[in-house]
């Protein structure tokens, strides 16, 4: 099975424009640049598939039900024409709770006790475990992405051999951590991926391979 992990395009949140609008996270939408990014990655994926003579007639696309991921997936799919597109709530972005849409200095001022508690855990090599007030830690995200792995294995058992997963940066890193049993220390050091970057997981002779970034990031190949 080949799994293409795709982060959404640039959103209002990524450009800080949402700080004045203050849309709830699930309603944050793509910028015009984000739409162009999605179109470019759609073209890239189509050519990538053609060049490698991959048959995507038996593929499926999984999408986070947030607005920006739905928009990204829809644009990408104008180039791939995948008929089987589904959404899964376990793929939503990490929930930032009280700190959502709030600049860091404002967080310190408005929620000093909550910020001090969070930051103390974060700074002690606890990025993976530090829970945002009224939100989630990456650990919490990893728990639900582990639940999504059951869906992946079910798809494989039903004969699906290529998956496109359009989701969020933290979710993708947590998915990789779960899939390859990477450590919390790996997560702490792994930078977030650029908007519309693509990371590939392949399978060769029964071995799962983290191919690294095939679009928008450094390439690396780790055999587990």
């Amino acid at each position: 099975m080949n799994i293409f992990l795709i982060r959404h395009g640039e959103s209002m949140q990524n450009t800080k424009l949402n700080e004045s609008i203050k849309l709830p996270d699930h309603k944050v939408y793509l910028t015009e640049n984000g739409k162009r990014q999605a179109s470019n990655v759609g073209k890239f994926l189509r050519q990538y598939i053609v060049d490698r003579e991959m048959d995507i007639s038996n593929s499926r696309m999984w999408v986070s039900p947030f607005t920006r991921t739905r928009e990204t997936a829809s644009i990408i799919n104008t180039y791939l024409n995948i008929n089987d597109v589904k959404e899964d709530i376990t793929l939503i972005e990490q929930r930032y709770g009280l700190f959502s849409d709030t600049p860091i200095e404002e967080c310190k001022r408005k929620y000093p006790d909550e910020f001090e508690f969070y930051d103390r855990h974060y700074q002690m090599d606890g990025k993976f475990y530090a829970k945002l007030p009224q939100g989630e830690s990456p650990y919490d995200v990893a728990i639900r992405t582990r639940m999504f792995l059951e869906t992946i294995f079910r798809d494989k058992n039903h004969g699906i051999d290529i998956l496109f997963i359009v989701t969020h940066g933290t979710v993708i890193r947590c998915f990789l951590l779960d899939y390859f049993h990477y450590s919390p220390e790996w997560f702490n050091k792994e930078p977030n991926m650029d908007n519309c970057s693509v990371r590939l997981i392949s399978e060769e002779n029964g071995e799962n391979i983290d191919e690294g970034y095939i679009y928008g990031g450094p390439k690396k190949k780790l055999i587990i």
Side-chain angles (χ1 to χ4, degrees):
M1 173 180 278
N2 289 301
I3 304 174
F4 294 86
L5 299 167
I6 307 162
R7 188 186 177 197
H8 61 80
E10 180 188 82
S11 71
M12 299 288 286
Q13 185 78 286
N14 300 134
T15 59
K16 306 299 182 182
L17 293 174
N18 197 47
E19 289 176 4
S20 58
I21 302 173
K22 292 194 179 299
L23 288 170
D25 199 24
H26 66 284
K27 289 293 187 181
V28 171
Y29 51 87
L30 295 181
T31 63
E32 289 304 310
N33 183 50
K35 293 175 183 178
R36 286 191 292 271
Q37 290 174 335
S39 181
N40 288 337
V41 78
K43 294 174 185 176
F44 166 81
L45 287 169
R46 182 180 62 185
Q47 193 61 48
Y48 186 93
I49 287 162
V50 168
D51 290 345
R52 286 154 184 80
E53 300 181 344
M54 299 173 72
D55 181 6
I56 63 170
S57 61
N58 195 30
S59 62
R60 176 171 289 163
M61 180 178 284
W62 284 103
V63 184
S64 157
F66 277 21
T67 297
R68 57 189 179 274
T69 36
R70 284 175 170 171
E71 289 179 325
T72 302
S74 178
I75 294 170
I76 289 172
N77 206 27
T78 61
Y79 298 94
L80 300 180
N81 296 313
I82 297 169
N83 295 321
D84 191 354
V85 179
K86 298 181 182 295
E87 295 183 350
D88 195 291
I89 58 172
T90 63
L91 295 174
I92 67 170
E93 175 63 296
Q94 178 183 2
R95 289 174 293 176
Y96 290 93
L98 287 178
F99 297 170
S100 182
D101 307 325
T102 305
I104 191 69
E105 292 304 319
E106 188 176 344
C107 288
K108 294 178 183 179
R109 179 178 58 81
K110 290 177 67 175
Y111 314 109
D113 293 338
E114 292 88 347
F115 183 86
E116 190 278 332
F117 180 82
Y118 169 76
D119 193 54
R120 177 158 40 90
H121 285 76
Y122 186 99
Q123 297 300 336
M124 295 293 288
D125 198 27
K127 177 181 177 181
F128 181 72
Y129 299 111
K131 190 181 188 76
L132 290 155
Q134 297 185 20
E136 292 181 300
S137 65
Y139 167 82
D140 295 320
V141 178
I143 293 299
R144 53 180 168 86
T145 54
R146 178 157 296 210
M147 294 168 59
F148 181 68
L149 289 185
E150 297 179 7
T151 298
I152 297 293
F153 298 140
R154 183 184 64 199
D155 286 350
K156 185 176 181 179
N157 289 336
H158 289 174
I160 302 294
D161 50 23
I162 298 179
L163 293 177
F164 299 88
I165 301 175
V166 183
T167 182
H168 310 266
T170 299
V171 176
I172 289 174
R173 284 178 288 160
C174 287
F175 182 94
L176 290 163
L177 179 143
D178 287 334
Y179 203 89
F180 292 101
H181 298 280
Y182 292 154
S183 68
E185 288 77 18
W186 172 87
F187 181 92
N188 290 344
K189 294 177 181 178
E190 183 71 11
N192 201 6
M193 57 203 297
D194 291 336
N195 294 111
C196 273
S197 290
V198 182
R199 192 153 177 165
L200 175 64
I201 296 173
S202 66
E203 185 177 341
E204 185 176 332
N205 299 322
E207 291 185 297
N208 294 314
I209 304 172
D210 181 354
E211 300 281 1
Y213 295 105
I214 61 170
Y215 183 86
K219 295 180 179 180
K220 57 183 177 180
K221 189 170 185 176
L222 302 172
I223 300 179
I224 306 299

